[in-house]
Amino acid sequence: MAPACPYFADVQPAPYLNWSAAPTKAMGVALILASLAVGCLLGSAGQGSWLFAVGHRPVVAGRPTPMVVRSNPVASASRPIIQLYPRREEALRSTLVANEPVAADFNLGKYIMAKAAAVEAALDKYVPNGLPPHPKVIFDAMRHSLLAGGKRIRPALVIAACEMVGGTQEMAMPTACALEMVHTMSLIHDDLPVMDNDDFRRGKPTCHKVYGEAIALLAGDALLAESFSLIAKETKGVPADRVLKSIANLGTLVGSEGLVGGQVMDMAYEGKGDTATLEAVEYIHIHKTAALLEAAVWNGACIGGASDQELEVLRRFAQKIGLAFQIIDDVLDATMTGEQLGKTAGKDEAVAKATYVRVVGLEQSRAIAQRLIAEAKADLAPYGAKAVPLLALADFITARTN
């Protein structure tokens, strides 16, 4: 049995290889030889020469390398999309890395609480409780949803990525808060009757239930606009080109090539989940949900000074954990109660949404999520101990219960 996850005792990394299921001994021998070959390759390549593939641009140590990549309709010139089905030796390498105990003494709970407290204080400052002569109701509505609690996973990813590449929490904080503002905007709009029509979020009445649909819509708009302004005005000690790249990337990932595109596709399949293909569900999840986690990791690393090559590796990592995050959301919606989730449960099934659970079932959904997390963790192997917070956050995504 694989060793337990170092952060959550009840979580097991999903195994890639089931030796008892191999149809012949020849297959087992082939896999052993493949593992040895990969080990030799990794050993001779050194830390600066690892394999990664982002959309149409696979490279090893900066050089193009042949790779079988499936036709992927979701990639674009400005936002390459990961290859989700790697070759067998890559899967083997992911398993070996994911199963290694990493900094078992790292306390993720304390880490998340510390980052969440810092982010909460910054958000309280950036969105004040009124700003005369402007209408107070809009600030009240923004704060109602923005300061409603939550784990602040996206801001934590921003800070962790920034610190991993040599930046600081102070440098990353405006971007971390901006990501939480964009995320909150997406929740406010998603809860509206014209969209998902939810009455509760994080255990509280949704914004439109308290302030009405018009004010809720405007509160979301205000948070989105403020997010870009915040990065531009409040980021200190960071070269202007990094700030500009961060703003541009966030715009891409929130717009029609990212979150909005995913939301449109999600609505198109509502009531038609039984007709959805795996590719369609993948598109929805990568864009509607994974885009913001991608923005969190990529923008944090960009602000921290990551190289272009590092940013591509981290984009790949983030898209994988983002997709896993939404797959687990699908699983939780199908298995948890509203009290456990802090929002309406069972809605995906009730409106026949296109989800991984509907297309491939519960167990396969869990297995895919675990596999994605294992592969994502393997991408960060060259960073060693510096990657521990990001690795722990990746594990948390599949271990969470709400």
Side-chain angles (χ1 to χ4, degrees):
M1 180 176 292
C5 163
Y7 313 107
F8 297 91
D10 59 341
V11 177
Q12 297 287 339
Y16 285 83
L17 304 177
N18 183 348
W19 293 100
S20 63
T24 67
K25 291 183 179 179
M27 180 179 289
V29 172
L31 291 177
I32 291 172
L33 292 175
S35 68
L36 291 173
V38 173
C40 292
L41 175 63
L42 295 177
S44 61
Q47 285 197 346
S49 184
W50 62 92
L51 175 67
F52 62 96
V54 181
H56 56 276
R57 194 172 163 227
V59 298
V60 176
R63 302 186 303 276
T65 183
M67 178 173 289
V68 178
V69 183
R70 68 172 187 171
S71 174
N72 195 333
V74 300
S76 67
S78 57
R79 188 196 175 205
I81 304 297
I82 56 170
Q83 177 196 4
L84 294 177
Y85 303 100
R87 296 174 298 183
R88 184 180 297 276
E89 62 265 29
E90 290 179 81
L92 175 60
R93 174 176 172 240
S94 298
T95 305
L96 294 174
V97 173
N99 286 346
E100 291 178 357
V102 180
D105 59 342
F106 178 76
N107 190 314
L108 179 61
K110 289 183 178 179
Y111 182 87
I112 289 178
M113 288 177 62
K115 300 307 179 189
V119 168
E120 204 78 15
L123 288 171
D124 185 54
K125 178 183 73 173
Y126 291 141
V127 182
N129 187 19
L131 194 63
H134 308 297
K136 188 174 185 301
V137 66
I138 193 65
F139 292 94
D140 291 342
M142 292 163 69
R143 288 170 63 90
H144 172 82
S145 296
L146 185 64
L147 302 178
K151 296 173 285 293
R152 309 301 190 194
I153 295 299
R154 290 156 192 82
L157 287 169
V158 173
I159 296 168
C162 183
E163 292 179 333
M164 187 182 75
V165 299
T168 66
Q169 178 171 298
E170 183 181 10
M171 292 165 60
M173 188 57 73
T175 299
C177 290
L179 259 295
E180 192 64 18
M181 289 177 181
V182 174
H183 175 52
T184 301
M185 173 278 297
S186 74
L187 299 182
I188 293 174
H189 286 179
D190 200 44
D191 290 338
L192 289 169
V194 73
M195 302 279 271
D196 273 6
N197 192 25
D198 261 313
D199 293 342
F200 292 94
R201 174 72 66 176
R202 292 170 177 166
K204 297 175 60 176
T206 48
C207 192
H208 71 273
K209 297 301 291 184
V210 177
Y211 295 97
E213 293 177 33
I215 292 297
L217 180 66
L218 292 171
D221 293 345
L223 285 168
L224 178 61
E226 182 61 27
S227 68
F228 292 98
S229 176
L230 185 62
I231 297 174
K233 293 190 302 185
E234 298 296 332
T235 304
K236 310 296 183 185
V238 178
D241 64 319
R242 292 188 208 166
V243 177
L244 184 59
K245 284 170 64 177
S246 179
I247 292 172
N249 185 65
L250 181 58
T252 297
L253 293 175
V254 172
S256 57
E257 295 179 42
L259 187 155
V260 171
Q263 183 69 65
V264 170
M265 186 71 83
D266 187 42
M267 291 190 299
Y269 272 96
E270 191 163 308
K272 305 173 185 177
D274 290 333
T275 69
T277 63
L278 183 59
E279 287 74 19
V281 177
E282 179 184 301
Y283 178 96
I284 293 168
H285 287 7
I286 285 179
H287 291 75
K288 181 181 176 182
T289 301
L292 281 188
L293 277 79
E294 179 184 339
V297 173
W298 196 97
N299 282 29
C302 179
I303 291 294
S307 68
D308 288 344
Q309 189 180 44
E310 287 180 302
L311 289 173
E312 291 306 314
V313 174
L314 289 166
R315 191 183 295 279
R316 177 191 184 189
F317 165 83
Q319 287 177 355
K320 287 178 178 176
I321 67 169
L323 180 55
F325 187 98
Q326 184 57 50
I327 292 172
I328 293 301
D329 254 14
D330 291 352
V331 170
L332 294 177
D333 185 81
T335 58
M336 295 292 183
T337 66
E339 290 74 20
Q340 290 171 314
L341 294 177
K343 60 182 180 180
T344 306
K347 286 209 66 180
D348 292 346
E349 180 64 26
V351 299
K353 293 190 74 169
T355 67
Y356 265 77
V357 171
R358 179 174 289 273
V359 173
V360 301
L362 272 171
E363 292 310 309
Q364 185 66 9
S365 294
R366 290 190 178 103
I368 291 171
Q370 290 281 8
R371 189 200 74 208
L372 286 166
I373 293 299
E375 292 171 9
K377 289 169 67 178
D379 291 336
L380 299 191
Y383 289 97
K386 293 179 181 179
V388 166
L390 276 183
L391 295 175
L393 286 164
D395 279 327
F396 174 75
I397 284 172
T398 50
R400 65 197 176 92
T401 56
N402 59 35

